[in-house]
Amino acid sequence: MLLEKTFVDSVTYRPGAVILYPGKSDMLYRVQSGLVRIHTMDDEGNGLTLRYVKPGEFFGEESLTGLERSYFAEAVTDSTVDVINPALMNAEDNLEVTTHLVKMLDRAYESIYRLVGKRLRSRIAAELLELADTALATKQASGETMIYATHDELAAAVGSVRETVTKVVGELSREGVISAGYGKITLRDPSALKRIAAE
């Protein structure tokens, strides 16, 4: 764990609150609880989710080098975030952050491969499986996992548009793999979802 002396503050954000804007960076952040979305916008104003940050994970890593931040960080759920001063980090702290960066790079490679090498159906299945392990998911009495996510949010995460994502979600629903309601998707057959994600 990062040493207490590196902490500047712990801040709680409501869903939809923007934690960071593009620009100068001087602090490192770690999610204590909740879920944070890292996203950017294209020239036409369309959003693209770059990654989700789960509890124990960091964002704002560019502060370690003084680079400008080029993305937004937004609380998806009620989220508590630790603010960390990189200048106060010791060798142990640096190793923890470096290990995190290696894992994030590996996830980035997987995301790039999905975007360029997988069909939209597979990308949506993989994204739903990833979201099942976040604060957006809840276990139902039936044992099934329900994810609170809109088709717009899914589209931003898989590099598509809402209309096309809605079509694929409908197909998966008809096949009995998931069921979809307004702003929520229930995973009916996770094994089938894993097979589709691997296609």
Side-chain angles (χ1 to χ4, degrees), residues 1-3 6 28 30 56 58 61 64 84 86 88-104:
M1 293 289 290
L2 284 167
L3 301 181
T6 65
L28 178 68
R30 181 176 59 190
F58 299 88
E61 299 92 342
L64 300 172
I84 298 161
L88 300 177
M89 291 167 54
N90 61 25
E92 183 183 347
D93 302 332
N94 284 321
L95 178 59
E96 182 179 349
V97 175
T98 300
T99 301
H100 157 79
L101 287 171
V102 171
K103 290 177 181 176
M104 290 305 98

Side-chain angles (χ1 to χ4, degrees), residues 8 10 34 39 41 47 54 89 104 137-139 159 161-163 185 192:
V8 173
S10 288
H39 64 98
M41 306 280 278
K54 303 174 186 178
M89 291 167 54
M104 290 305 98
T138 58
K139 279 283 186 187
V161 294
R162 180 179 54 78
E163 293 79 7
I185 296 173

Side-chain angles (χ1 to χ4, degrees), residues 9-25:
D9 201 0
S10 288
V11 185
T12 299
Y13 297 90
R14 299 288 295 161
V18 177
I19 302 168
L20 297 177
Y21 290 88
K24 187 178 185 306
S25 59

Side-chain angles (χ1 to χ4, degrees), residues 9-144:
D9 201 0
S10 288
V11 185
T12 299
Y13 297 90
R14 299 288 295 161
V18 177
I19 302 168
L20 297 177
Y21 290 88
K24 187 178 185 306
S25 59
D26 52 6
M27 293 293 172
L28 178 68
Y29 303 83
R30 181 176 59 190
V31 177
Q32 189 182 116
S33 64
L35 187 68
V36 171
R37 181 170 76 107
I38 305 299
H39 64 98
T40 189
M41 306 280 278
D42 65 19
D43 292 338
E44 297 176 358
N46 298 311
L48 176 65
T49 299
L50 301 174
R51 67 183 172 105
Y52 287 101
V53 190
K54 303 174 186 178
E57 296 179 347
F58 299 88
F59 62 99
E61 299 92 342
E62 62 283 343
S63 64
L64 300 172
T65 61
L67 292 173
E68 288 269 318
R69 184 169 43 251
S70 59
Y71 59 81
F72 296 86
E74 176 186 341
V76 179
T77 64
D78 285 321
S79 302
T80 300
V81 174
D82 296 326
V83 184
I84 298 161
N85 185 345
L88 300 177
M89 291 167 54
N90 61 25
E92 183 183 347
D93 302 332
N94 284 321
L95 178 59
E96 182 179 349
V97 175
T98 300
T99 301
H100 157 79
L101 287 171
V102 171
K103 290 177 181 176
M104 290 305 98
L105 188 58
D106 188 52
R107 274 168 57 180
Y109 288 155
E110 288 179 14
S111 295
I112 291 168
Y113 173 68
R114 280 204 305 262
L115 282 171
V116 300
K118 296 276 191 176
R119 295 182 306 148
L120 180 60
R121 177 181 168 92
S122 299
R123 301 201 308 266
I124 289 173
E127 184 66 20
L128 289 173
L129 289 169
E130 185 162 333
L131 290 175
D133 185 33
T134 70
L136 287 177
T138 58
K139 279 283 186 187
Q140 303 299 292
S142 62
E144 295 171 329

